[in-house]
Amino acid sequence: MTGIVVLGSTNMDLVAYVAHAPKRGETVTGREFRTIPGGKGANQAVAAARAGGDVAMIGAVGSDDFGAALRQTLVASGVDVDLLRTSEGPSGTAHIVVDDEGGNAIVVIPGANGTLTALAPGDEALIATADALLLQLELPLTAVLEGAETARRHGVRTVLTPAPAQPLPPELLAATDLLVPNEHEAATLTGVADPHTAAEALLRQVPEVVITLGSAGCLHAGRHSPPLIVPAPEVTALDTTAAGDTFVGALAVALGEGKPVEQALTWASAAAALCVQRAGASTSMPYRSEIDEAS
């Protein structure tokens, strides 16, 4: 078992499935609507737990029905929610349009996530016991930075998913061990479209980078290792909503178990490939036995 703490968001995903996403001013008729527990933090927690990790979640849900459902989803996946706080008011929501090619467009409304501006009593002690702390950017940056610096003080590996993409304070990058952007986020952070060149630029700020490339796989780069491309399994994507979070959750488990980098990336890529063949976020994430069989 791997000790993973996730400091991140919980959102209820409100998902509309359409032939093509509407353009500005356009109305389209969808074929289905689903309400699915999500949020980048909760997604990574569920993905890691299903992949075999020992996972705890630090975050906030609202006092509404969505909050109760989000908490229950984490519990059902085996995630420790003792430090998942409840904030008076609405939970976070993500309004998602998924088209027939499996692409998506997302509007996130933070809700309770916006109240988590700093660590609470007990959070540091939990982080200190972990092998890895997973971070994303759907919480206020003050909390993300405090979490990263807390992990650094205690020698805990920090894994940052820089999404939604935004400029990052140097002190956050200085406290990051592994940065996992997709190719668009890497371009936003560096101003460079080519993933190899972007990785070189990011290595001046963090010691290790994995850039996810969708159906093309992923690129690993480290300050002391040559660049490595790991191809993705060839599959037909139904819904890519939680692919990146599934990849990160599975990767954290694999690295925590001591798998070599290439093997860990291959295993995480298999998890993401299984995810995109299913609809939804947390509902699409595979279990360890499925990942082992696919990889």
Side-chain angles (χ1 to χ4, degrees), residues 126-208:
L126 178 63
I127 292 170
T129 66
D131 295 325
L133 175 68
L134 307 189
L135 300 162
Q136 322 78 34
L137 301 178
E138 288 183 342
L139 295 182
L141 268 178
T142 52
V144 177
L145 177 58
E146 186 180 356
E149 292 181 335
T150 298
R152 177 54 57 90
R153 283 199 306 274
H154 292 283
V156 175
R157 180 188 185 97
T158 54
V159 180
L160 173 62
T161 303
Q166 58 185 278
L168 299 179
E171 55 268 35
L172 176 57
L173 290 167
T176 297
D177 295 305
L178 172 60
L179 187 70
V180 191
N182 63 27
E183 55 191 318
H184 307 295
E185 292 152 4
T188 297
L189 292 174
T190 64
V192 178
D194 176 67
H196 286 85
T197 307
E200 291 176 5
L202 291 169
L203 288 177
R204 292 193 284 269
Q205 300 173 291
V206 297
E208 190 177 9

Side-chain angles (χ1 to χ4, degrees), residues 15-43:
V15 189
Y17 295 91
V18 298
H20 71 271
K23 299 173 184 175
R24 184 175 183 180
E26 180 184 14
T27 298
V28 300
T29 299
R31 66 173 180 278
E32 185 182 1
F33 173 79
R34 299 180 69 186
T35 303
I36 304 170
K40 297 195 72 63
N43 286 346

Side-chain angles (χ1 to χ4, degrees), residues 1-188:
M1 300 289 277
T2 300
I4 295 171
V5 173
V6 180
L7 172 61
S9 59
T10 58
N11 291 321
M12 187 59 76
D13 292 348
L14 310 177
V15 189
Y17 295 91
V18 298
H20 71 271
K23 299 173 184 175
R24 184 175 183 180
E26 180 184 14
T27 298
V28 300
T29 299
R31 66 173 180 278
E32 185 182 1
F33 173 79
R34 299 180 69 186
T35 303
I36 304 170
K40 297 195 72 63
N43 286 346
Q44 292 185 5
V46 170
R50 291 187 179 180
D54 179 12
V55 184
M57 177 85 192
I58 301 173
V61 297
S63 55
D64 53 5
D65 290 344
F66 284 165
L70 289 166
R71 184 181 294 275
Q72 181 53 39
T73 296
L74 290 163
V75 170
S77 295
V79 177
D80 182 332
V81 295
D82 285 352
L83 294 182
L84 180 65
R85 63 196 77 171
T86 298
S87 173
E88 189 65 32
S91 298
T93 52
H95 304 256
I96 305 173
V97 175
V98 179
D99 63 33
D100 280 352
E101 295 180 356
N104 60 65
I106 306 174
V107 176
V108 174
I109 300 175
N113 297 301
T115 68
L116 207 161
T117 57
L119 297 185
D123 291 349
E124 179 169 358
L126 178 63
I127 292 170
T129 66
D131 295 325
L133 175 68
L134 307 189
L135 300 162
Q136 322 78 34
L137 301 178
E138 288 183 342
L139 295 182
L141 268 178
T142 52
V144 177
L145 177 58
E146 186 180 356
E149 292 181 335
T150 298
R152 177 54 57 90
R153 283 199 306 274
H154 292 283
V156 175
R157 180 188 185 97
T158 54
V159 180
L160 173 62
T161 303
Q166 58 185 278
L168 299 179
E171 55 268 35
L172 176 57
L173 290 167
T176 297
D177 295 305
L178 172 60
L179 187 70
V180 191
N182 63 27
E183 55 191 318
H184 307 295
E185 292 152 4
T188 297

